[in-house]
Amino acid sequence: MGSGIASVAAQAGFAVKLYDRVPGAARAGLIGLASDLARQVKKGRLTADEARKIQEGLQAVESLEEFADCSLVLEAIAEKLEAKVDLFCALDDIVSADAILATNTSSLSIDAIAAPTRWPGRVVGMHFFNPPVAMRLVEVVSGAMAEPIVADRVFELAAAWGKSPVRCSSTPGFIVNRVARPFYGEALKLLEARACAPEVIDTVVKQGGGFRMGPVELMDFIGHDVNFAVTRSVFEAFFQDPRYRPSLVQKALVDAGRLGRKSGVGFYTYLDGQPTTVVPEQAWPAPGIVRLGRDATSGLATRFRNSELEVIEADGSDGLRIGGVLILETDGRTALQREIETGEAVVVVDLVMDERTAAARSAATSPGVSRMQRDAIGAAFAALGQTIHYIDDVPGLVLGRTLAMIANEAADALQQGVASASDIDSAMVKGANYPFGPLAWSESLGPSRLVSILDALSLDSPDGRYRASPLLRRAALTGASLAPV
């Protein structure tokens, strides 16, 4: 991480000094950077002259005292509070009083790092994402004692380095590591409940939600030791709020050394860096007749109306039916609950981010649905280009509960003043590669639907994990928008 940040600064034309307490490590980092620059020249991304100038701007030093003339010192050492405090206190006696001390911490309190130093107002978070050369986001994090001009200077500096900075206050996880917790957490809850296979979760989230990676494969990619440690850190920092509770399923993987790609096995087994598990293809019979009621105006109903399937506009009943089964998009309640309410056989289907592009969704059947009816429904959705993955009858299914929880976390961060709506959404797009921001999708999916899913989950798990953000509930009641203007 440290050498990557140094490369970013040097490529922007800044003079950079590198130090590591391990003798020779900084020089080894320079050798690695030289090799990376040579690759970029070979690929035509840099000229040989540009690479030479970048290398000239990088210098390995052997002691902290050589930072005396630096206007910014940025640490990327071990994620341990005492180590960071000791380093910054040592720098107090070396750098000038107006030099900025920046920390690349991903989860520690900026105030806890700053308070023991001589001038805590000059300490700021400058959180890069890995790999720093490729990832655009930098979180500029201000503690309670930070001087506003310090955050302004760091924000401008990050922009000058070609990054997309956002501002946030020093709360556990900042923006990305806080708002992203449910992306992993809900997948782990589904796996704890044995509701479906890991590959089904990933497929539904990617092909139904438009995410680049599913949560299970992303945890395997990050490393379960790292992901679990961040979750524990956020959980403890929020005084063991059940919303952030770590998973025993993930702890078991860490204890067993099944850390993901880097160990060759996690939730998936890897061969030459690629998972060996694949999602089985579905085979369906002929699709059932689609009947649309007069009030069937959802995006899904419109998709069926525009399909080549046999669609009958029913005069006497409302809703969407296939093969005599009522099809309902999830509002959090289970298929069994909906069958009891309606007196009809029900299939509950998952939300998708965009009906026009979605290629997969999860679904659950009530007891009154026969195997033949289930397959006919699967065939009808396949004709739309959407693969149905039937899972256990769990509240909110896969994508619906994930989107609701992420939007809920973003709404809480907004209400608590962690960051602005535009910075929250920008951070999740640029730092977590989300298809678009959670506050924007709360607008498109509807806050009332998301709150309904959260309330249903709360009834199923009444420990406070799924409590709706007051801001999100207010938006559901008033129709107010949370999306950035």
PDB file of all heavy atoms in Angstrom, residues 263-285:
ATOM      1  N   SER A 263      -5.087 -18.657  -0.014  1.00  0.00           N
ATOM      2  CA  SER A 263      -4.784 -19.966   0.568  1.00  0.00           C
ATOM      3  C   SER A 263      -5.250 -21.110  -0.328  1.00  0.00           C
ATOM      4  O   SER A 263      -5.021 -22.272  -0.014  1.00  0.00           O
ATOM      5  CB  SER A 263      -5.456 -20.102   1.945  1.00  0.00           C
ATOM      6  OG  SER A 263      -6.864 -20.150   1.820  1.00  0.00           O
ATOM      7  N   GLY A 264      -5.911 -20.767  -1.436  1.00  0.00           N
ATOM      8  CA  GLY A 264      -6.379 -21.785  -2.367  1.00  0.00           C
ATOM      9  C   GLY A 264      -7.767 -22.309  -2.074  1.00  0.00           C
ATOM     10  O   GLY A 264      -8.348 -23.030  -2.884  1.00  0.00           O
ATOM     11  N   VAL A 265      -8.309 -21.946  -0.915  1.00  0.00           N
ATOM     12  CA  VAL A 265      -9.660 -22.395  -0.578  1.00  0.00           C
ATOM     13  C   VAL A 265     -10.277 -21.416   0.413  1.00  0.00           C
ATOM     14  O   VAL A 265      -9.619 -20.929   1.334  1.00  0.00           O
ATOM     15  CB  VAL A 265      -9.645 -23.830   0.010  1.00  0.00           C
ATOM     16  CG1 VAL A 265      -8.829 -23.886   1.284  1.00  0.00           C
ATOM     17  CG2 VAL A 265     -11.055 -24.343   0.252  1.00  0.00           C
ATOM     18  N   GLY A 266     -11.538 -21.102   0.192  1.00  0.00           N
ATOM     19  CA  GLY A 266     -12.325 -20.279   1.105  1.00  0.00           C
ATOM     20  C   GLY A 266     -13.723 -20.847   1.064  1.00  0.00           C
ATOM     21  O   GLY A 266     -13.935 -22.018   1.375  1.00  0.00           O
ATOM     22  N   PHE A 267     -14.700 -20.058   0.656  1.00  0.00           N
ATOM     23  CA  PHE A 267     -15.997 -20.630   0.331  1.00  0.00           C
ATOM     24  C   PHE A 267     -15.897 -21.444  -0.953  1.00  0.00           C
ATOM     25  O   PHE A 267     -16.614 -22.420  -1.147  1.00  0.00           O
ATOM     26  CB  PHE A 267     -17.052 -19.529   0.179  1.00  0.00           C
ATOM     27  CG  PHE A 267     -17.538 -18.980   1.495  1.00  0.00           C
ATOM     28  CD1 PHE A 267     -17.270 -17.685   1.871  1.00  0.00           C
ATOM     29  CD2 PHE A 267     -18.260 -19.786   2.363  1.00  0.00           C
ATOM     30  CE1 PHE A 267     -17.726 -17.191   3.080  1.00  0.00           C
ATOM     31  CE2 PHE A 267     -18.721 -19.301   3.583  1.00  0.00           C
ATOM     32  CZ  PHE A 267     -18.442 -17.997   3.941  1.00  0.00           C
ATOM     33  N   TYR A 268     -15.003 -21.007  -1.846  1.00  0.00           N
ATOM     34  CA  TYR A 268     -14.744 -21.734  -3.084  1.00  0.00           C
ATOM     35  C   TYR A 268     -13.354 -22.359  -3.022  1.00  0.00           C
ATOM     36  O   TYR A 268     -12.490 -21.935  -2.255  1.00  0.00           O
ATOM     37  CB  TYR A 268     -14.802 -20.788  -4.296  1.00  0.00           C
ATOM     38  CG  TYR A 268     -16.132 -20.099  -4.507  1.00  0.00           C
ATOM     39  CD1 TYR A 268     -16.205 -18.711  -4.649  1.00  0.00           C
ATOM     40  CD2 TYR A 268     -17.315 -20.818  -4.580  1.00  0.00           C
ATOM     41  CE1 TYR A 268     -17.419 -18.064  -4.851  1.00  0.00           C
ATOM     42  CE2 TYR A 268     -18.535 -20.184  -4.781  1.00  0.00           C
ATOM     43  CZ  TYR A 268     -18.579 -18.809  -4.912  1.00  0.00           C
ATOM     44  OH  TYR A 268     -19.788 -18.186  -5.109  1.00  0.00           O
ATOM     45  N   THR A 269     -13.147 -23.374  -3.848  1.00  0.00           N
ATOM     46  CA  THR A 269     -11.823 -23.954  -4.029  1.00  0.00           C
ATOM     47  C   THR A 269     -11.241 -23.406  -5.327  1.00  0.00           C
ATOM     48  O   THR A 269     -11.948 -23.309  -6.334  1.00  0.00           O
ATOM     49  CB  THR A 269     -11.909 -25.489  -4.089  1.00  0.00           C
ATOM     50  OG1 THR A 269     -12.460 -25.960  -2.848  1.00  0.00           O
ATOM     51  CG2 THR A 269     -10.539 -26.111  -4.300  1.00  0.00           C
ATOM     52  N   TYR A 270      -9.951 -23.058  -5.292  1.00  0.00           N
ATOM     53  CA  TYR A 270      -9.329 -22.376  -6.438  1.00  0.00           C
ATOM     54  C   TYR A 270      -8.268 -23.250  -7.083  1.00  0.00           C
ATOM     55  O   TYR A 270      -7.492 -23.934  -6.405  1.00  0.00           O
ATOM     56  CB  TYR A 270      -8.713 -21.045  -5.986  1.00  0.00           C
ATOM     57  CG  TYR A 270      -9.762 -20.064  -5.544  1.00  0.00           C
ATOM     58  CD1 TYR A 270     -10.247 -20.083  -4.230  1.00  0.00           C
ATOM     59  CD2 TYR A 270     -10.332 -19.156  -6.432  1.00  0.00           C
ATOM     60  CE1 TYR A 270     -11.244 -19.215  -3.824  1.00  0.00           C
ATOM     61  CE2 TYR A 270     -11.329 -18.283  -6.031  1.00  0.00           C
ATOM     62  CZ  TYR A 270     -11.777 -18.320  -4.726  1.00  0.00           C
ATOM     63  OH  TYR A 270     -12.769 -17.460  -4.333  1.00  0.00           O
ATOM     64  N   LEU A 271      -8.249 -23.210  -8.405  1.00  0.00           N
ATOM     65  CA  LEU A 271      -7.233 -23.886  -9.198  1.00  0.00           C
ATOM     66  C   LEU A 271      -6.669 -22.859 -10.163  1.00  0.00           C
ATOM     67  O   LEU A 271      -7.411 -22.280 -10.967  1.00  0.00           O
ATOM     68  CB  LEU A 271      -7.845 -25.066  -9.969  1.00  0.00           C
ATOM     69  CG  LEU A 271      -6.885 -25.907 -10.809  1.00  0.00           C
ATOM     70  CD1 LEU A 271      -5.863 -26.596  -9.902  1.00  0.00           C
ATOM     71  CD2 LEU A 271      -7.650 -26.940 -11.631  1.00  0.00           C
ATOM     72  N   ASP A 272      -5.379 -22.588 -10.040  1.00  0.00           N
ATOM     73  CA  ASP A 272      -4.728 -21.539 -10.843  1.00  0.00           C
ATOM     74  C   ASP A 272      -5.434 -20.196 -10.672  1.00  0.00           C
ATOM     75  O   ASP A 272      -5.613 -19.426 -11.628  1.00  0.00           O
ATOM     76  CB  ASP A 272      -4.703 -21.927 -12.331  1.00  0.00           C
ATOM     77  CG  ASP A 272      -3.863 -23.173 -12.589  1.00  0.00           C
ATOM     78  OD1 ASP A 272      -2.874 -23.368 -11.852  1.00  0.00           O
ATOM     79  OD2 ASP A 272      -4.212 -23.944 -13.496  1.00  0.00           O
ATOM     80  N   GLY A 273      -5.867 -19.920  -9.431  1.00  0.00           N
ATOM     81  CA  GLY A 273      -6.479 -18.638  -9.121  1.00  0.00           C
ATOM     82  C   GLY A 273      -7.930 -18.513  -9.501  1.00  0.00           C
ATOM     83  O   GLY A 273      -8.548 -17.476  -9.269  1.00  0.00           O
ATOM     84  N   GLN A 274      -8.535 -19.559 -10.076  1.00  0.00           N
ATOM     85  CA  GLN A 274      -9.934 -19.496 -10.496  1.00  0.00           C
ATOM     86  C   GLN A 274     -10.776 -20.493  -9.698  1.00  0.00           C
ATOM     87  O   GLN A 274     -10.324 -21.602  -9.418  1.00  0.00           O
ATOM     88  CB  GLN A 274     -10.061 -19.815 -11.996  1.00  0.00           C
ATOM     89  CG  GLN A 274      -9.344 -18.820 -12.897  1.00  0.00           C
ATOM     90  CD  GLN A 274      -9.867 -17.411 -12.735  1.00  0.00           C
ATOM     91  OE1 GLN A 274     -11.073 -17.184 -12.666  1.00  0.00           O
ATOM     92  NE2 GLN A 274      -8.954 -16.442 -12.673  1.00  0.00           N
ATOM     93  N   PRO A 275     -12.010 -20.097  -9.309  1.00  0.00           N
ATOM     94  CA  PRO A 275     -12.855 -21.028  -8.547  1.00  0.00           C
ATOM     95  C   PRO A 275     -13.282 -22.203  -9.409  1.00  0.00           C
ATOM     96  O   PRO A 275     -13.565 -22.047 -10.600  1.00  0.00           O
ATOM     97  CB  PRO A 275     -14.058 -20.161  -8.147  1.00  0.00           C
ATOM     98  CG  PRO A 275     -14.103 -19.065  -9.162  1.00  0.00           C
ATOM     99  CD  PRO A 275     -12.676 -18.803  -9.549  1.00  0.00           C
ATOM    100  N   THR A 276     -13.327 -23.378  -8.796  1.00  0.00           N
ATOM    101  CA  THR A 276     -13.699 -24.580  -9.548  1.00  0.00           C
ATOM    102  C   THR A 276     -15.203 -24.820  -9.536  1.00  0.00           C
ATOM    103  O   THR A 276     -15.702 -25.622 -10.311  1.00  0.00           O
ATOM    104  CB  THR A 276     -12.993 -25.814  -8.958  1.00  0.00           C
ATOM    105  OG1 THR A 276     -13.334 -25.929  -7.559  1.00  0.00           O
ATOM    106  CG2 THR A 276     -11.485 -25.689  -9.072  1.00  0.00           C
ATOM    107  N   THR A 277     -15.930 -24.126  -8.655  1.00  0.00           N
ATOM    108  CA  THR A 277     -17.378 -24.305  -8.565  1.00  0.00           C
ATOM    109  C   THR A 277     -18.079 -23.463  -9.616  1.00  0.00           C
ATOM    110  O   THR A 277     -17.727 -22.308  -9.832  1.00  0.00           O
ATOM    111  CB  THR A 277     -17.891 -23.896  -7.175  1.00  0.00           C
ATOM    112  OG1 THR A 277     -17.173 -24.643  -6.188  1.00  0.00           O
ATOM    113  CG2 THR A 277     -19.372 -24.178  -7.034  1.00  0.00           C
ATOM    114  N   VAL A 278     -19.065 -24.042 -10.281  1.00  0.00           N
ATOM    115  CA  VAL A 278     -19.843 -23.298 -11.269  1.00  0.00           C
ATOM    116  C   VAL A 278     -21.325 -23.434 -10.939  1.00  0.00           C
ATOM    117  O   VAL A 278     -21.753 -24.389 -10.290  1.00  0.00           O
ATOM    118  CB  VAL A 278     -19.591 -23.802 -12.711  1.00  0.00           C
ATOM    119  CG1 VAL A 278     -18.159 -23.555 -13.127  1.00  0.00           C
ATOM    120  CG2 VAL A 278     -19.928 -25.287 -12.843  1.00  0.00           C
ATOM    121  N   VAL A 279     -22.101 -22.466 -11.383  1.00  0.00           N
ATOM    122  CA  VAL A 279     -23.547 -22.508 -11.153  1.00  0.00           C
ATOM    123  C   VAL A 279     -24.168 -23.476 -12.145  1.00  0.00           C
ATOM    124  O   VAL A 279     -23.960 -23.347 -13.355  1.00  0.00           O
ATOM    125  CB  VAL A 279     -24.163 -21.100 -11.332  1.00  0.00           C
ATOM    126  CG1 VAL A 279     -25.669 -21.150 -11.094  1.00  0.00           C
ATOM    127  CG2 VAL A 279     -23.504 -20.113 -10.388  1.00  0.00           C
ATOM    128  N   PRO A 280     -24.926 -24.475 -11.674  1.00  0.00           N
ATOM    129  CA  PRO A 280     -25.541 -25.430 -12.609  1.00  0.00           C
ATOM    130  C   PRO A 280     -26.568 -24.744 -13.506  1.00  0.00           C
ATOM    131  O   PRO A 280     -27.289 -23.843 -13.070  1.00  0.00           O
ATOM    132  CB  PRO A 280     -26.212 -26.457 -11.690  1.00  0.00           C
ATOM    133  CG  PRO A 280     -26.411 -25.738 -10.399  1.00  0.00           C
ATOM    134  CD  PRO A 280     -25.271 -24.768 -10.274  1.00  0.00           C
ATOM    135  N   GLU A 281     -26.611 -25.152 -14.753  1.00  0.00           N
ATOM    136  CA  GLU A 281     -27.594 -24.581 -15.680  1.00  0.00           C
ATOM    137  C   GLU A 281     -28.983 -25.132 -15.361  1.00  0.00           C
ATOM    138  O   GLU A 281     -29.135 -26.266 -14.933  1.00  0.00           O
ATOM    139  CB  GLU A 281     -27.208 -24.919 -17.126  1.00  0.00           C
ATOM    140  CG  GLU A 281     -25.939 -24.226 -17.591  1.00  0.00           C
ATOM    141  CD  GLU A 281     -25.679 -24.449 -19.071  1.00  0.00           C
ATOM    142  OE1 GLU A 281     -26.558 -25.033 -19.734  1.00  0.00           O
ATOM    143  OE2 GLU A 281     -24.618 -24.040 -19.550  1.00  0.00           O
ATOM    144  N   GLN A 282     -29.983 -24.279 -15.588  1.00  0.00           N
ATOM    145  CA  GLN A 282     -31.363 -24.680 -15.322  1.00  0.00           C
ATOM    146  C   GLN A 282     -31.999 -25.192 -16.621  1.00  0.00           C
ATOM    147  O   GLN A 282     -31.772 -24.644 -17.692  1.00  0.00           O
ATOM    148  CB  GLN A 282     -32.165 -23.474 -14.820  1.00  0.00           C
ATOM    149  CG  GLN A 282     -31.563 -22.793 -13.595  1.00  0.00           C
ATOM    150  CD  GLN A 282     -31.887 -23.538 -12.310  1.00  0.00           C
ATOM    151  OE1 GLN A 282     -32.602 -24.529 -12.321  1.00  0.00           O
ATOM    152  NE2 GLN A 282     -31.354 -23.064 -11.207  1.00  0.00           N
ATOM    153  N   ALA A 283     -32.784 -26.247 -16.496  1.00  0.00           N
ATOM    154  CA  ALA A 283     -33.531 -26.780 -17.646  1.00  0.00           C
ATOM    155  C   ALA A 283     -35.012 -26.667 -17.339  1.00  0.00           C
ATOM    156  O   ALA A 283     -35.487 -27.187 -16.326  1.00  0.00           O
ATOM    157  CB  ALA A 283     -33.141 -28.237 -17.905  1.00  0.00           C
ATOM    158  N   TRP A 284     -35.754 -25.954 -18.196  1.00  0.00           N
ATOM    159  CA  TRP A 284     -37.159 -25.699 -17.931  1.00  0.00           C
ATOM    160  C   TRP A 284     -38.024 -26.299 -19.034  1.00  0.00           C
ATOM    161  O   TRP A 284     -37.600 -26.413 -20.178  1.00  0.00           O
ATOM    162  CB  TRP A 284     -37.431 -24.199 -17.864  1.00  0.00           C
ATOM    163  CG  TRP A 284     -36.566 -23.430 -16.917  1.00  0.00           C
ATOM    164  CD1 TRP A 284     -35.595 -22.538 -17.244  1.00  0.00           C
ATOM    165  CD2 TRP A 284     -36.589 -23.472 -15.490  1.00  0.00           C
ATOM    166  NE1 TRP A 284     -35.006 -22.021 -16.117  1.00  0.00           N
ATOM    167  CE2 TRP A 284     -35.601 -22.577 -15.023  1.00  0.00           C
ATOM    168  CE3 TRP A 284     -37.357 -24.185 -14.563  1.00  0.00           C
ATOM    169  CZ2 TRP A 284     -35.358 -22.376 -13.678  1.00  0.00           C
ATOM    170  CZ3 TRP A 284     -37.107 -23.982 -13.212  1.00  0.00           C
ATOM    171  CH2 TRP A 284     -36.123 -23.086 -12.778  1.00  0.00           C
ATOM    172  N   PRO A 285     -39.284 -26.656 -18.713  1.00  0.00           N
ATOM    173  CA  PRO A 285     -40.239 -27.087 -19.738  1.00  0.00           C
ATOM    174  C   PRO A 285     -40.808 -25.860 -20.456  1.00  0.00           C
ATOM    175  O   PRO A 285     -40.275 -24.755 -20.349  1.00  0.00           O
ATOM    176  CB  PRO A 285     -41.325 -27.795 -18.910  1.00  0.00           C
ATOM    177  CG  PRO A 285     -41.310 -27.046 -17.604  1.00  0.00           C
ATOM    178  CD  PRO A 285     -39.870 -26.680 -17.364  1.00  0.00           C
TER     179      PRO A 285
END
